[in-house]
């Protein structure tokens, strides 16, 4: 019995494993559709009730899946605290947190239901490859993120000193200037606040150049890691 359950939830090369995988993917997609339908204005009370019961059935299925995975895991503690273990738990936790409580006080927990979309990663070879690539490049990406935060702060400080004297409302503090830094470094440039001094414009030019690198470097890291992940599969 345990072997059958293990083959079903962990081995998608078996017939029962493939059927379970397809069924779970369908339930995940339907639960996300249900979540979206709930946000429609003026839906009937009957439909809202049906959506609640569908949610209850979905949570029951995911709960059984979670318990089954814990039961057949070679290391239960390792699975529970793994990435997929936490995703499986967060996929069902909001329902139990909201049951029997004032929903207004736990409304924010309903957003955790969106974690279910991450369950699809388990059943997609391409998504799993991307996950392995992230693990391979996580140290480089962490270092890059730290460096980006430093550049972001320095950009906010620089534009503040250039523009604050002439635009005290738009660049009233370094914290306000950080919004400009985010929009500029990501090369979005909303245009809601922009420099008007010569120094500020020159400074912006250099920040834009740096921003091009900020966008392209992590893409290169991930592409290299994806290549390594594919080689590991082969």
């Amino acid at each position: 019995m345990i072997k059958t359950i293990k083959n079903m939830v962990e081995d998608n090369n078996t017939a029962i494993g493939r059927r379970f995988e397809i069924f779970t993917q369908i339930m995940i997609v339907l639960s996300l559709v249900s979540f979206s339908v709930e946000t429609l204005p003026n839906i009937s009370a009957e439909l809202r009730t049906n959506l609640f019961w569908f949610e209850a059935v979905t949570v029951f299925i995911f709960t059984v899946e979670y318990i089954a995975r814990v039961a057949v895991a070679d290391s239960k503690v390792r699975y529970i605290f793994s990435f997929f273990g936490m995703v499986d738990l967060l996929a069902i936790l909001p329902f139990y947190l909201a049951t029997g409580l004032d929903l207004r006080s736990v409304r924010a927990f309903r957003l955790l239901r969106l974690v279910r979309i991450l369950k699809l990663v388990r059943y997609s070879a391409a998504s799993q490859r991307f996950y392995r690539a992230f693990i391979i490049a996580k140290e480089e990406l962490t270092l890059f993120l730290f460096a980006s935060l430093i550049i972001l702060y320095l950009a906010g400080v620089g534009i503040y000193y250039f523009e604050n004297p002439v635009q005290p409302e738009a660049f009233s503090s370094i914290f306000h200037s950080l919004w400009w830094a985010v929009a500029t470094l990501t090369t979005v440039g909303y245009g809601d606040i922009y420099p008007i001094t010569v120094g500020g414009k020159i400074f912006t030019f250099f920040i834009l150049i740096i921003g091009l690198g900020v966008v392209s470097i992590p893409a290169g890291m991930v592409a290299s890691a994806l290549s390594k992940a594919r080689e590991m599969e082969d």
Side-chain angles (χ1 to χ4, degrees), residues 136-149:
I136 293 172
K138 65 179 181 180
E139 292 184 3
E140 290 84 356
L141 290 173
T142 301
L143 179 61
F144 176 78
L145 176 62
F146 181 72
S148 297
L149 291 175

Side-chain angles (χ1 to χ4, degrees), residues 125-136:
S127 298
Q128 289 184 15
R129 188 181 303 126
F130 187 84
Y131 171 71
R132 284 192 291 270
F134 176 78
I135 296 300
I136 293 172

Side-chain angles (χ1 to χ4, degrees), residues 214-231:
V214 168
V215 172
S216 62
I217 290 175
M221 290 180 181
V222 172
S224 176
L226 282 170
S227 178
K228 291 181 181 178
R230 180 179 286 276
E231 291 175 1

Side-chain angles (χ1 to χ4, degrees), residues 78-208:
R78 184 176 180 180
Y79 165 72
I80 291 172
F81 291 99
S82 68
F83 172 77
F84 287 118
M86 297 300 295
V87 167
D88 291 339
L89 178 61
L90 290 175
I92 61 177
L93 193 61
F95 181 84
Y96 295 113
L97 289 175
T99 302
L101 299 175
D102 182 357
L103 291 178
R104 290 173 298 179
S105 63
V106 293
R107 188 171 296 167
F109 286 112
R110 296 175 69 239
L111 292 175
L112 291 176
R113 287 166 56 184
L114 294 176
V115 172
R116 289 177 194 169
I117 200 169
L118 296 179
K119 286 171 67 66
L120 290 172
V121 176
R122 186 197 298 278
Y123 305 106
S124 169
S127 298
Q128 289 184 15
R129 188 181 303 126
F130 187 84
Y131 171 71
R132 284 192 291 270
F134 176 78
I135 296 300
I136 293 172
K138 65 179 181 180
E139 292 184 3
E140 290 84 356
L141 290 173
T142 301
L143 179 61
F144 176 78
L145 176 62
F146 181 72
S148 297
L149 291 175
I150 294 176
I151 294 173
L152 180 68
Y153 178 75
L154 293 176
V157 172
I159 200 66
Y160 169 77
Y161 280 105
F162 278 115
E163 297 297 321
N164 174 260
V166 295
Q167 298 190 78
E169 294 184 359
F171 298 90
S172 58
S173 71
I174 290 177
F175 293 104
H176 290 82
S177 301
L178 285 174
W179 168 244
W180 171 90
V182 169
T184 305
L185 276 171
T186 55
T187 67
V188 175
Y190 286 108
D192 50 348
I193 54 175
Y194 52 88
I196 60 175
T197 64
V198 175
K201 291 178 180 180
I202 295 174
F203 181 75
T204 300
F205 169 76
F206 288 107
I207 294 300
L208 285 170

